[in-house]
Amino acid sequence: MAMFKQYIIVSPGQDIQCKEETLSKAIADLPPKGVLIKVHSSGVCHTDLHQWLEGGFRLSDSEYLLFASREGMGYPKVPGHEISGTVYKFGPDVREDESSLSKGDSVIVYPWIACGDCRYCERGNNDHCTGGKSQEIGMNINGGYSEFVIVPHYRYAVPLPSAISIDMGSVLGCSSLTVYNAVKTGLAELPEAGDWRSDDQFHVAVVGLGGLGSWAVSFIPLLFKPAIKPNVAITGIDINESKLSTFVDEGLIQNSFHLSTLKPPQEQASMCRDKISTKGYQIIFDFVNNPLTFDVSIRLLGNHGVLVSVGLFGGTGNVQLPLLSLGRKKIIGIHTGSYNLFKEMLEFLASNIDNIKTPTLSVYPLADCMKALRDVKEGKISGRAILKVNNET
Ligand SMILES: [Zn+2]
Ligand SMILES: [Zn+2]
């Protein structure tokens, strides 16, 4: 009897356990229009850390947004929502001519599967679904820390563009999509961007140069350039000085500011403004989004500026309320992205891949998923960690 391995979080705070499952059961469990994917690589996201350690997102010192309180997000659960692999078997109701996919084709899984019926889903905003019947892979249903994964409908197994490697494909469903959404939405929130004079200083800040920030410093020039006349100067803000130096040396950012966890936010915002010689940033992407980065970012925002809050580090932010009103500043939140945006992003990536510095991948065997999670937790990864599941595909 053919067996395969799954790595399961039984309950938050406990080490992940390996469990063997029969392939025949996975095939029997396939939904009528589903597809069974043989996993090649699975990205390790910070959300996996929250699933493994805390069981939710910390809202304040006394409040948590618990996964177990949300429908289908309880435990035990196989984590992993960033998945690339190959088509292994279709569900019983998928006709031969129905899907453009064939057995063995390389695919990227779109994991944010929503109800399809609510007012958000109807308008293509499935990433904001309130229908309560989501089947998000690695969240509501079992995910990619496994040799095989069930995708409930074959349309969510999207063909891998030939320009993109199958390993890189595994980090596109969350980190890359989130950043693409953040940069596009942030730009749309700057309606006067096209009116800037070409000799104006247009400052953009990227807070956190990890897996998300790495995508951002490539996406921002490509997406902003057609819409904005002045040269866009990116400031990288991070607690890791050597990471900042590397990004400057590689020409990915024009300015850098070393954030300290020891100095007050007010002092650091003032130091950053003096160093960069700016009165404020037009747009700031906060890919960390903890109380310190939020506080510093709000203080750095210029008039009519937009703060795009992305990271899910957790905690409660502090806002100087008069500054919001006086400078007509905006704060918007971004989390993942819709199915349609995912497909648009893949086309964008495939046609611009030569001009994109893709994040460095740190590769671990699937059996070392605990080590990968610990390394992510301890900030040892520059770029993105992935689990190599099946080497032969
Ligand atoms: Zn993620
Ligand atoms: Zn919905």
Side-chain angles (χ1 to χ4, degrees):
M1 192 163 40
M3 308 289 286
F4 70 96
K5 290 191 175 76
Q6 295 181 315
Y7 287 79
I8 299 177
I9 303 174
V10 176
S11 72
Q14 291 182 13
D15 280 4
I16 290 177
Q17 295 179 14
C18 178
K19 185 182 162 227
E20 295 228 329
E21 184 62 88
T22 62
L23 199 49
S24 55
K25 180 173 185 318
I27 291 169
D29 287 347
L30 263 179
K33 294 285 186 187
V35 60
L36 186 64
I37 300 298
K38 186 175 187 184
V39 180
H40 182 281
S41 309
S42 196
V44 178
C45 178
H46 273 87
T47 296
D48 307 349
L49 282 185
H50 291 281
Q51 279 180 300
W52 164 46
L53 287 174
E54 300 167 295
F57 298 112
R58 192 168 63 84
L59 301 177
S60 69
D61 288 343
S62 57
E63 261 184 300
Y64 265 87
L65 181 64
L66 292 173
F67 294 124
S69 68
R70 309 181 81 187
E71 191 175 334
M73 284 199 183
Y75 299 86
K77 183 71 38 74
V78 178
H81 51 269
E82 298 191 327
I83 303 162
S84 64
T86 51
V87 173
Y88 187 79
K89 192 163 185 61
F90 288 102
D93 288 1
V94 183
R95 296 188 317 273
E96 211 166 281
D97 59 346
E98 188 173 338
S99 161
S100 62
L101 295 169
S102 305
K103 184 174 177 179
D105 283 357
S106 296
V107 293
I108 307 172
V109 173
Y110 176 80
W112 313 114
I113 301 170
C115 80
D117 291 330
C118 72
R119 62 190 290 263
Y120 294 98
C121 284
E122 268 183 358
R123 289 166 175 78
N125 297 315
N126 61 282
D127 46 335
H128 302 136
C129 174
T130 53
K133 292 175 286 182
S134 292
Q135 292 187 294
E136 293 184 350
I137 296 173
M139 305 301 295
N140 301 93
I141 61 175
N142 284 336
Y145 285 33
S146 172
E147 290 173 323
F148 287 88
V149 68
I150 289 174
V151 177
H153 194 288
Y154 64 81
R155 72 192 290 257
Y156 300 113
V158 181
L160 177 76
S162 57
I164 298 171
S165 76
I166 194 161
D167 278 342
M168 192 55 68
S170 71
V171 300
L172 304 184
C174 182
S175 72
S176 174
L177 174 61
T178 298
V179 175
Y180 187 74
N181 192 8
V183 175
K184 280 206 77 167
T185 307
L187 182 59
E189 293 290 336
L190 289 168
E192 308 97 340
D195 300 333
W196 283 67
R197 297 187 306 244
S198 47
D199 59 346
D200 283 331
Q201 289 281 307
F202 197 99
H203 284 288
V204 177
V206 173
V207 184
L209 295 177
L212 276 69
S214 300
W215 286 113
V217 296
S218 286
F219 287 0
I220 289 167
L222 289 168
L223 291 168
F224 274 42
K225 204 167 185 179
I228 295 172
K229 283 182 211 143
N231 280 330
V232 173
I234 302 177
T235 302
I237 299 178
D238 201 285
I239 55 171
N240 184 325
E241 249 181 323
S242 71
K243 207 183 267 184
L244 288 165
S245 304
T246 305
F247 274 66
V248 170
D249 292 346
E250 292 183 5
L252 296 167
I253 56 176
Q254 287 68 53
N255 303 299
S256 67
F257 181 73
H258 179 217
L259 194 68
S260 164
T261 54
L262 303 174
K263 293 182 187 145
Q266 189 176 3
E267 184 185 332
Q268 300 205 70
S270 163
M271 285 166 63
C272 180
R273 267 197 303 271
D274 289 348
K275 184 180 178 200
I276 314 301
S277 298
T278 176
K279 288 186 176 162
Y281 285 83
Q282 277 66 61
I283 185 161
I284 299 177
F285 298 93
D286 186 354
F287 294 114
V288 181
N289 209 13
N290 67 17
L292 171 66
T293 60
F294 181 76
D295 200 334
V296 170
S297 297
I298 284 285
R299 292 171 193 272
L300 284 175
L301 214 53
N303 286 352
H304 296 201
V306 177
L307 170 59
V308 186
S309 285
V310 184
L312 289 165
F313 188 95
T316 301
N318 183 37
V319 185
Q320 305 77 50
L321 295 169
L323 297 184
L324 280 184
S325 329
L326 293 170
R328 212 195 77 188
K329 299 172 187 180
K330 270 185 227 172
I331 305 170
I332 56 167
I334 288 291
H335 178 54
T336 69
S338 70
Y339 176 66
N340 290 336
L341 195 74
F342 178 65
K343 292 204 294 188
E344 178 191 309
M345 180 203 68
L346 289 183
E347 279 179 29
F348 166 81
L349 279 177
S351 51
N352 289 287
I353 198 73
D354 293 339
N355 297 315
I356 290 172
K357 171 88 169 65
T358 51
T360 309
L361 299 180
S362 301
V363 182
Y364 297 76
L366 175 61
D368 288 349
C369 58
M370 286 298 304
K371 176 168 171 38
L373 283 164
R374 287 195 181 100
D375 286 353
V376 171
K377 177 173 177 274
E378 289 163 20
K380 290 182 180 170
I381 307 295
S382 70
R384 202 76 171 164
I386 65 165
L387 305 171
K388 195 85 152 189
V389 180
N390 283 300
N391 287 309
E392 72 273 22
T393 50

